[in-house]
Amino acid sequence: VRYDKGLAKSRKGFGAKLNALLANFRRVDEDFFEELEETLIEADVGFETAMKISDELQDEVKLRNAKSRSDVSDAIIERLVDIYESEGVDEDNSLHFAKEPTEPTVFLFVGVNGVGKTTTIGKLAHRYQQAGKKVLLAAGDTFRAGAIEQLAEWGRRVEVDVVTKPEKSDPAAVVYDAVVKAKKENYDILLVDTAGRLQNKVNLMNELDKIKRVITRELPDAPQEVLLALDATTGQNALTQAKQFKEVTDVTGIVLTKLDGTARGGIVLAIRNELHLPVKLVGLGEKMDDLRDFSPEEFVYGLFK
Ligand code: GDP
């Protein structure tokens, strides 16, 4: 239900193709599995993950002696949910907060330009502000022209405070000011924007390390999350980006943005299977309410409705 509107495209694309495959279903034979693999690959599930799902499904169908359409359909749905849930190093899709309730929680956002970092921070700020939390934002993307003002605009829109410095300032200096302010003025949560320039990985690595050091020096438990934003509409490119970011910093979870903009929502499964990282949040639109916690069941059932 919570995914209803945002998954409309994937439901019409990926979901409808799976449903069509099942509607034409006669028997579980080689053709059937070939078609299933094609459908999965077209939906951005990725080759490796598609083969894995198909192989496991073949075993499952034998094991259960599944013959009818509904048996096979149930087995597919269960496989899609399971491939997500069984893959985890960290099976936890939920966001982690400071253990000490008096200490601010810090989430660091990374990802390349345009994937939706700033928008996600705005949406999350709105969520926590609505929940009665004291929220602070740090405009750590001092590189991209307009990024600081964009975050400040979100701050005004959702009525939370934003720490900024002029363009080209040291991002770690912005973060330092924000962490000190968060501690001193008892903020519950600090959301940090960063610039994600993958073109220069060494610089990016140093910059993120420095930002983390500044945070950890003041708050030894923080950051509780390093969230990598990926644009679902870029399909397999998102996967490549994620692999590169994993080399640069310790990512704790994925924010999959613009899931409303793709008909091939299978990228969620690829991320889990190939990156072993949990998708923690999904973006289903541009507005402040268009952010959801990720649930594999709701996602998979949302596709088939
Ligand atoms: P950043 O450069 O990573 O900070 O990306 P922005 O937050 O500026 O987002 C880039 C564009 O993507 C903006 O036009 C956003 O409105 C749009 N956007 C972000 N998240 C979503 C989403 O979940 N769905 C849709 N449809 N658009 C989004």
Side-chain angles (χ1 to χ4, degrees):
V1 176
R2 296 187 312 141
Y3 284 38
D4 237 22
K5 215 174 89 245
L7 278 187
K9 276 194 187 168
S10 276
R11 192 153 52 238
K12 281 193 203 126
F14 185 21
K17 277 189 196 142
L18 279 175
N19 278 326
L21 180 66
L22 286 165
N24 297 326
F25 168 86
R26 290 219 166 81
R27 66 186 80 83
V28 269
D29 53 13
E30 228 170 88
D31 286 349
F32 174 80
F33 286 107
E34 244 171 58
E35 264 184 71
L36 175 69
E37 286 158 16
E38 254 169 57
T39 306
L40 293 172
I41 291 167
E42 274 174 30
D44 276 337
V45 168
F47 182 80
E48 198 182 294
T49 311
M51 291 305 147
K52 186 168 171 180
I53 292 172
S54 177
D55 286 349
E56 289 182 359
L57 192 68
Q58 295 188 32
D59 295 344
E60 182 89 9
V61 161
K62 261 187 226 139
L63 199 73
R64 291 198 202 178
N65 198 16
K67 289 204 176 72
S68 72
R69 178 180 305 166
S70 71
D71 285 350
V72 175
S73 157
D74 288 350
I76 291 182
I77 292 178
E78 278 171 35
R79 269 296 80 227
L80 293 178
V81 174
D82 277 6
I83 195 131
Y84 191 90
E85 295 196 325
S86 63
E87 265 317 313
V89 182
D90 173 3
E91 301 208 351
D92 191 357
N93 305 327
S94 64
L95 295 164
H96 295 186
F97 294 87
K99 290 188 203 87
E100 204 57 61
T102 52
E103 282 208 341
T105 293
V106 184
F107 293 170
L108 192 62
F109 289 81
V110 300
V112 303
N113 262 343
V115 291
K117 278 189 305 290
T118 313
T119 307
T120 303
I121 292 173
K123 291 170 178 175
L124 210 52
H126 175 62
R127 172 193 288 191
Y128 294 129
Q129 200 268 356
Q130 290 296 90
K133 304 279 181 208
K134 196 172 172 190
V135 185
L136 185 63
L137 309 183
D141 182 356
T142 56
F143 185 78
R144 179 168 67 91
I148 300 166
E149 180 43 38
Q150 200 190 334
L151 196 71
E153 173 55 32
W154 267 106
R156 286 190 289 273
R157 198 179 306 158
V158 304
E159 297 179 343
V160 307
D161 299 324
V162 186
V163 173
T164 64
K165 276 186 183 293
E167 227 176 282
K168 309 292 182 254
S169 303
D170 182 350
V174 180
V175 175
Y176 177 77
D177 283 1
V179 171
V180 169
K181 183 178 168 73
K183 269 177 77 174
K184 202 161 80 191
E185 299 175 27
N186 297 316
Y187 281 85
D188 296 300
I189 185 152
L190 168 62
L191 307 175
V192 179
D193 198 6
T194 65
R197 283 166 293 149
L198 266 182
Q199 297 84 337
N200 192 332
K201 275 211 225 165
V202 178
N203 277 357
L204 181 61
M205 192 184 297
N206 290 339
E207 186 170 301
L208 292 174
D209 275 354
K210 192 171 167 191
I211 290 174
K212 276 197 196 163
R213 273 203 309 279
V214 161
I215 297 171
T216 309
R217 198 159 52 216
E218 296 298 319
L219 298 164
D221 257 3
Q224 279 74 16
E225 297 281 355
V226 178
L227 297 168
L228 171 63
L230 298 174
D231 178 341
T233 66
T234 63
Q236 297 297 306
N237 276 339
L239 229 54
T240 309
Q241 265 172 33
K243 284 176 186 156
Q244 292 175 315
F245 266 95
K246 272 182 82 175
E247 292 166 15
V248 170
T249 191
D250 291 324
V251 176
T252 61
I254 303 289
V255 182
L256 192 61
T257 64
K258 311 188 198 181
L259 201 52
D260 56 306
T262 177
R264 323 163 97 196
I267 189 71
V268 175
L269 302 166
I271 288 173
R272 183 52 158 192
N273 189 44
E274 291 185 35
L275 299 174
H276 311 289
L277 281 173
V279 176
K280 296 206 168 183
L281 294 164
V282 294
L284 295 174
E286 294 185 279
K287 294 196 291 296
M288 58 176 101
D289 291 317
D290 297 333
L291 186 73
R292 303 282 179 278
D293 289 330
F294 180 66
S295 140
E297 287 89 359
E298 282 180 301
F299 174 74
V300 172
Y301 286 101
L303 281 181
F304 278 93
K305 241 181 308 177

